Amino acid sequence: MIYFDNAATTGVKPQQVIYAVNKGLKKYSANPGRSGHKAAVEAATAVYSVRQQLSDFFGADGPENVVFTLNCTHSINCVLKGVLRRGDHILVSSLEHNAVMRPLAKMGVSYSVFNVSFTDDAETVRSLKEKLRPNTRMVFCTGASNVWGKLLPIEAIGKVCSEKKMLFGVDAAQIAGVIPIDMKKMNIDYLCIAPHKGLYAPMGTGVLICRRGLAETLIEGGTGTNSVELKQPEELPERLESGTVSLPAVMGIGAGLDYIKRLGTERVYSHESGLIKELYHGLKSINGIILYTPEPLMGFYAPVLSFNIEDYPSETVAEWLSENGVCVRGGLHCAPMAHRVMGTLESGAVRLSVATFNNREEVISFLKLIKTKKITKNLKKAIE
Amino acid sequence: MTKFNTGSITYAIKGRDLLRKKGFKARIEKITSGKGGGCGYTIVAEGDGAVAGELLRKAGIKILD
């Protein structure tokens, strides 16, 4: 099997992550932050140490600002619904995932879309500035498109937000663990992370790192603090962590982060970028392949690439690839805005996304498969 | 021995680790019922309570009454 669907979740979790999750289940079986016995405090200390690791890695203000959520979408909802009020205006990019757009649609908050240029980051920043209004409270944008891979100029956007005294939130689902992120340097106020992607952690837990407070909460409940008060605590992380966190998954996050730190983010990005570049050039040389972006250069693109084959529906191509042992995602990738930008709203696209365990041999095998004339014959058969 | 009620386990661990780094013997206990709003954690520190308290306050660790 060739697994090129890492933008959905990294398909191979390192042994140390599996071990850490197991250890979380066996060794730290007490609830971290409810009782006062030794086992409970040890469990809480284990969770705290992962908060500390995440805080150091992403340039946060301290471990107490690292919140464990259900997933990245939950983190994004916490930010948007925690910050925005009636009458506020928010700027989002033209490539946002539904994790951002659906909450905004439900909230009925006023938003404008700034255009992301695929060739000129300065143009992206210009577009953002043009859309600013006097009541623009926040910019929330993806770090990289989950469809086209385009990296947004986060540091430059953060600078604008700082100058204009606006809040800045980032959906780091596709970049955490791949591209260096320093919240202080980039003026990021809220960082939403999908640890099961670039941090190789188990699915089912997200991370939200805050440098500012959140006025409203999504969920209220038991936090192990100040139980007499019916009011939700003000302080993070407990303010956003009602109920029990998934300690085994948190241990997995810590181990996944260790894995990435040991390899080095630059080395990871260089490896994955190299594979995507080879895929791009290989696909470009094949008749009938449609590519939509310029060459995905390092520093401008995350390791994600989407394409189509002639006018075949992307889901059909993805199904055919699956029958031949290749895992990819076809369709709209929960990001209709990104497809609207490229004119692929009808066809969708076939997405390739690589990780540390993918290699050149897999790229070569995939391109050989795509090159065979049998593909179009079989696709034609598949859709007849 | 001085007790510092932090409420949150996160701040209790942060405070405990900070005091230990500064040479204090420190551990975490549950807040005695009736204090801290009914639930929470306290840092129990041996040594100069005033110095320990100042270290915690400088680190932004909120000490409950």
Side-chain angles (χ1 to χ4, degrees):
Chain A
M1 182 180 82
I2 296 175
Y3 188 87
F4 281 163
D5 195 22
N6 295 281
T9 196
T10 36
V12 173
K13 307 298 182 191
Q15 196 54 46
Q16 66 199 81
V17 169
I18 296 168
Y19 175 76
V21 172
N22 220 9
K23 188 177 173 185
L25 285 165
K26 285 184 179 173
K27 186 178 174 190
Y28 299 113
S29 52
N31 194 316
R34 294 295 182 271
S35 308
H37 51 73
K38 192 177 169 199
V41 176
E42 277 175 359
T45 303
V47 170
Y48 181 88
S49 75
V50 179
R51 293 190 207 274
Q52 183 72 68
Q53 278 179 267
L54 287 161
S55 174
D56 293 342
F57 190 75
F58 291 108
D61 290 334
E64 63 275 17
N65 298 302
V66 175
V67 179
F68 294 113
T69 60
L70 299 173
N71 46 49
C72 192
T73 295
H74 180 211
S75 299
I76 293 168
N77 271 264
C78 284
V79 173
L80 296 176
K81 291 171 181 172
V83 167
L84 298 171
R85 293 293 156 263
R86 193 178 290 279
D88 285 342
H89 176 254
I90 179 174
L91 283 183
V92 296
S93 86
S94 51
L95 301 176
E96 296 308 314
H97 189 277
N98 274 346
V100 175
M101 300 315 298
R102 280 184 173 173
L104 289 180
K106 173 98 192 283
M107 290 165 76
V109 164
S110 155
Y111 68 86
S112 296
V113 178
F114 66 90
N115 295 322
V116 176
S117 167
F118 284 76
T119 52
D120 184 355
D121 285 344
E123 185 52 46
T124 300
V125 177
R126 262 194 299 274
S127 175
L128 183 151
K129 285 180 178 173
E130 277 166 16
K131 304 281 180 174
L132 287 172
R133 290 183 196 174
N135 62 330
T136 303
R137 182 113 187 274
M138 180 177 213
V139 174
F140 196 101
C141 66
T142 184
S145 170
N146 70 313
V147 182
W148 311 115
K150 179 71 188 90
L151 285 175
L152 270 68
I154 294 301
E155 197 163 343
I157 294 172
K159 190 162 180 265
V160 173
C161 290
S162 177
E163 285 164 2
K164 302 286 183 190
K165 296 190 180 1
M166 294 183 304
L167 296 169
F168 184 30
V170 175
D171 171 6
Q174 299 300 329
I175 60 171
V178 181
I179 311 289
I181 301 170
D182 184 328
M183 289 181 76
K184 288 191 196 90
K185 191 176 163 205
M186 294 168 163
N187 290 304
I188 299 171
D189 295 304
Y190 306 101
L191 186 69
C192 304
I193 296 165
H196 66 97
K197 300 187 195 222
L199 299 185
Y200 295 80
M203 288 177 275
T205 295
V207 172
L208 166 59
I209 308 181
C210 302
R211 295 189 63 225
R212 305 279 198 109
L214 287 162
E216 294 297 329
T217 48
L218 275 189
I219 299 172
E220 297 79 35
T223 55
T225 56
N226 215 13
S227 297
V228 160
E229 284 291 330
L230 291 184
K231 201 166 155 256
Q232 190 74 356
E234 291 294 330
E235 293 82 20
L236 294 176
E238 283 81 8
R239 179 171 177 71
L240 300 180
E241 284 183 5
S242 295
T244 301
V245 298
S246 173
L247 183 148
V250 169
M251 297 295 101
I253 293 172
L257 191 47
D258 271 338
Y259 169 75
I260 289 297
K261 277 155 60 179
R262 191 168 46 82
L263 288 175
T265 318
E266 208 171 300
R267 203 167 133 213
V268 168
Y269 184 35
S270 174
H271 166 75
E272 295 177 14
S273 229
L275 295 177
I276 284 293
K277 211 169 153 185
E278 193 162 351
L279 281 164
Y280 179 86
H281 287 293
L283 286 169
K284 201 172 180 199
S285 70
I286 301 170
N287 276 338
I289 296 294
I290 307 166
L291 291 165
Y292 297 91
T293 62
E295 183 185 356
L297 297 173
M298 253 186 91
F300 298 95
Y301 284 81
V304 171
L305 175 69
S306 292
F307 70 99
N308 273 313
I309 299 180
E310 294 175 12
D311 57 356
Y312 294 106
S314 59
E315 293 91 338
T316 306
V317 174
E319 196 184 317
W320 185 85
L321 285 168
S322 172
E323 284 164 11
N324 285 272
V326 181
C327 303
V328 298
R329 183 176 173 185
L332 295 181
H333 314 95
C334 299
M337 276 179 75
H339 284 280
R340 202 168 277 122
V341 161
M342 283 300 189
T344 50
L345 209 49
E346 289 284 322
S347 61
V350 182
R351 183 185 66 187
L352 305 169
S353 46
V354 297
T356 57
F357 55 86
N358 292 120
N359 53 54
R360 262 203 92 220
E361 286 69 34
E362 289 177 325
V363 169
I364 292 165
S365 297
F366 171 78
L367 290 170
K368 228 187 238 180
L369 180 64
I370 294 283
K371 269 184 199 156
T372 60
K373 293 245 177 345
K374 278 183 192 171
I375 287 179
T376 48
K377 272 190 201 163
N378 283 323
L379 279 174
K380 276 181 182 152
K381 265 193 199 160
I383 60 172
E384 269 162 14
Chain B
M1 194 172 67
T2 319
K3 288 189 178 186
F4 301 98
N5 295 330
T6 60
S8 142
I9 183 70
T10 305
Y11 278 99
I13 294 171
K14 185 173 180 174
R16 177 200 67 186
D17 290 355
L18 168 69
L19 292 177
R20 282 180 177 176
K21 266 193 194 134
K22 298 291 185 185
F24 286 84
K25 268 191 180 171
R27 66 180 189 279
I28 293 169
E29 286 179 1
K30 277 282 274 188
I31 278 177
T32 318
S33 61
K35 292 182 188 277
C39 234
Y41 293 86
T42 191
I43 306 167
V44 181
E46 292 177 29
D48 190 330
V51 171
E54 192 54 30
L55 284 168
L56 294 173
R57 266 178 283 274
K58 271 193 179 147
I61 294 165
K62 194 171 151 187
I63 309 297
L64 308 174
D65 290 331

